[in-house]
Amino acid sequence: VIVATSSLSYSAKMVSFILGTTFLLSSLLPHGSHGFAPSSLSTRRHVGGQSSIPTSLTTHHMFTGIIEEMGEVISLETRDDMTLWDGSKGKGTEMVLKGDIVLDGAYLGCSISVNGVCLTATEIDEDAKTFKVGLAPETLRKTNLGTYVPESQQRVNMERASEIGGRNSGHFVQGHVDNVGTIMDQWIDENSLFFKIAFPYEFMRYVVPKGFIAIDGTSLTVCDVHSEGEDGENWFTFMLVEYTQKKIILPSKKVGDTVNVEVDVLGKYSERAWEAFVPKMEALETKVKQLEARLQELEGGESTASSSSATDNDVNYGQPIGGLSNVAAAATAPTPEQVKVKNTDGTEWVRTKQSFFDTQY
């Protein structure tokens, strides 16, 4: 009982530790170069190809999902004469966009979110209010940016990168789109506009009711979630309040159109941390069962058919649990001869074993 209680207490502490560590890690991820609320330093202009932004503010990027403006796609071109790092030529796709707010403080190499995709500004024309970005093959595979036709004057959501320590009115958005979703339905609920999005099953485990999600770079709250597996329907819903409807491109989209979707990164880090923890917890539970079986044997009882049998060779009391060396001290356990020695009242072996449990667990 003592061992089992200790293991449950340890499990609760570890779960709390994992969740706390995950949140801490999220705050230490490569974050924004320009602030949740742009600082006075980040509003300096790019002049003559030289950045006036201190280098200490240009090393990280992250977004908040609070769209600053709707920009316009000016051109989308695939070229075969892109110069690579070694001077050779390669094929690549470039997009030119027009914006205003996002160019405030922009510099060559800065990160700008375009429809939720973190892109690097490679050219900036301040007079024309335009900037150029490169679209890598992975970007074209995972997002809908390659489907934009400049002649249609399609608009895109834009946001500058954010700064650590500033105010975040959305959530941690990396600009790393997981996949595209397809609009299945949309309807009006008084002054709210609802959307129903079909999404690949492999990502649905990260979508939870009332959780965060980024749609075309916009930080939104999930309403309902429905998942039937790989061969069934998988979708979620969200809604736009009246103010948001006027500030982003989503209301202009119709059923059948696609949206870029980025799930909450905290869910991914929590899953990875939990995957590392579960084998250790299972090892601990196995050890507890073995110790309980051994205890019953030492008390003179017989193990039930459902309990795993244990011998002196099955359980090495002198070794800490595999992978849990920080929890179980490598104390020297009593030998089989020591635990079988009883005093006149028959309690000596109990005290010896309890001392071992207290030391190890």
Side-chain angles (χ1 to χ4, degrees):
V1 174
I2 293 174
V3 177
T5 302
S6 299
S7 67
L8 292 175
S9 175
Y10 170 75
S11 175
K13 291 178 180 178
M14 279 299 296
V15 171
S16 177
F17 172 76
I18 288 172
L19 294 177
T21 302
T22 300
F23 183 79
L24 177 61
L25 285 174
S26 71
S27 66
L28 297 177
L29 290 171
H31 289 344
S33 51
H34 279 311
F36 294 126
S39 66
S40 58
L41 287 175
S42 67
T43 59
R44 299 177 186 175
R45 306 291 291 178
H46 165 79
V47 181
Q50 300 296 322
S51 171
S52 61
I53 308 298
T55 56
S56 61
L57 294 181
T58 66
T59 55
H60 304 300
H61 58 82
M62 183 168 275
F63 307 93
T64 68
I66 304 302
I67 303 304
E68 295 186 288
E69 68 174 316
M70 290 182 283
E72 182 182 343
V73 177
I74 302 300
S75 68
L76 180 64
E77 180 184 11
T78 298
R79 297 167 43 192
D80 294 324
D81 60 346
M82 304 288 288
T83 303
L84 305 183
W85 85 100
D86 60 356
S88 62
K89 301 297 181 178
K91 183 178 179 179
T93 302
E94 293 182 320
M95 177 180 279
V96 176
L97 303 111
K98 186 173 184 178
D100 186 12
I101 296 176
V102 294
L103 290 182
D104 184 11
Y107 56 95
L108 294 180
C110 73
S111 296
I112 298 176
S113 172
V114 178
N115 264 17
V117 184
C118 178
L119 298 173
T120 300
T122 58
E123 291 183 18
I124 299 175
D125 187 336
E126 293 187 351
D127 294 330
K129 299 287 186 181
T130 63
F131 63 98
K132 180 183 290 186
V133 297
L135 302 181
E138 178 70 2
T139 301
L140 295 173
R141 285 191 293 266
K142 294 293 186 180
T143 75
N144 60 15
L145 290 184
T147 65
Y148 274 70
V149 181
E151 290 75 14
S152 65
Q153 294 184 334
Q154 290 177 300
R155 300 180 71 79
V156 290
N157 294 329
M158 291 184 177
E159 180 193 354
R160 289 170 292 181
S162 56
E163 181 182 10
I164 300 174
R167 184 171 58 192
N168 185 348
S169 296
H171 72 282
F172 293 114
V173 179
Q174 294 181 294
H176 303 163
V177 172
D178 291 291
N179 214 317
V180 295
T182 303
I183 299 176
M184 298 176 63
D185 195 9
Q186 59 186 109
W187 65 94
I188 296 175
D189 180 11
E190 296 186 0
N191 69 338
S192 297
L193 178 60
F194 267 83
F195 285 84
K196 181 179 179 180
I197 307 295
F199 199 46
Y201 170 71
E202 62 180 300
F203 299 104
M204 288 300 295
R205 64 182 182 274
Y206 304 118
V207 184
V208 297
K210 307 311 176 194
F212 289 123
I213 200 159
I215 305 294
D216 280 341
T218 307
S219 175
L220 296 169
T221 303
V222 177
C223 293
D224 298 309
V225 178
H226 179 82
S227 183
E228 296 181 351
E230 294 183 5
D231 299 324
E233 279 195 351
N234 298 282
W235 52 261
F236 62 89
T237 65
F238 60 85
M239 64 86 182
L240 306 178
V241 298
E242 180 185 5
Y243 178 85
T244 306
Q245 295 168 24
K246 305 169 186 176
K247 302 296 181 179
I248 63 176
I249 65 171
L250 265 174
S252 66
K253 294 192 173 186
K254 59 185 183 298
V255 173
D257 287 345
T258 60
V259 293
N260 293 328
V261 181
E262 178 186 331
V263 301
D264 189 1
V265 67
L266 293 183
K268 295 180 181 179
Y269 279 103
S270 296
E271 180 183 61
R272 181 56 59 89
W274 183 253
E275 288 174 350
F277 167 69
V278 168
K280 298 178 181 181
M281 192 61 218
E282 291 176 344
L284 177 60
E285 291 174 347
T286 299
K287 183 70 72 173
V288 168
K289 291 179 180 179
Q290 291 175 334
L291 292 173
E292 288 175 338
R294 179 59 175 157
L295 183 60
Q296 290 181 1
E297 180 182 322
L298 293 172
E299 287 176 332
E302 296 181 356
S303 301
T304 63
S306 61
S307 299
S308 59
S309 61
T311 66
D312 292 329
N313 293 327
D314 293 328
V315 183
N316 187 350
Y317 297 110
Q319 297 296 325
I321 295 173
L324 293 177
S325 57
N326 291 331
V327 179
T332 302
T335 64
E337 289 73 20
Q338 289 175 321
V339 298
K340 292 177 182 177
V341 174
K342 301 182 182 180
N343 63 2
T344 54
D345 60 6
T347 60
E348 179 60 31
W349 72 270
V350 175
R351 288 196 296 271
T352 304
K353 289 294 288 184
Q354 186 59 58
S355 175
F356 166 68
F357 290 152
D358 290 343
T359 302
Q360 286 269 37
Y361 302 102

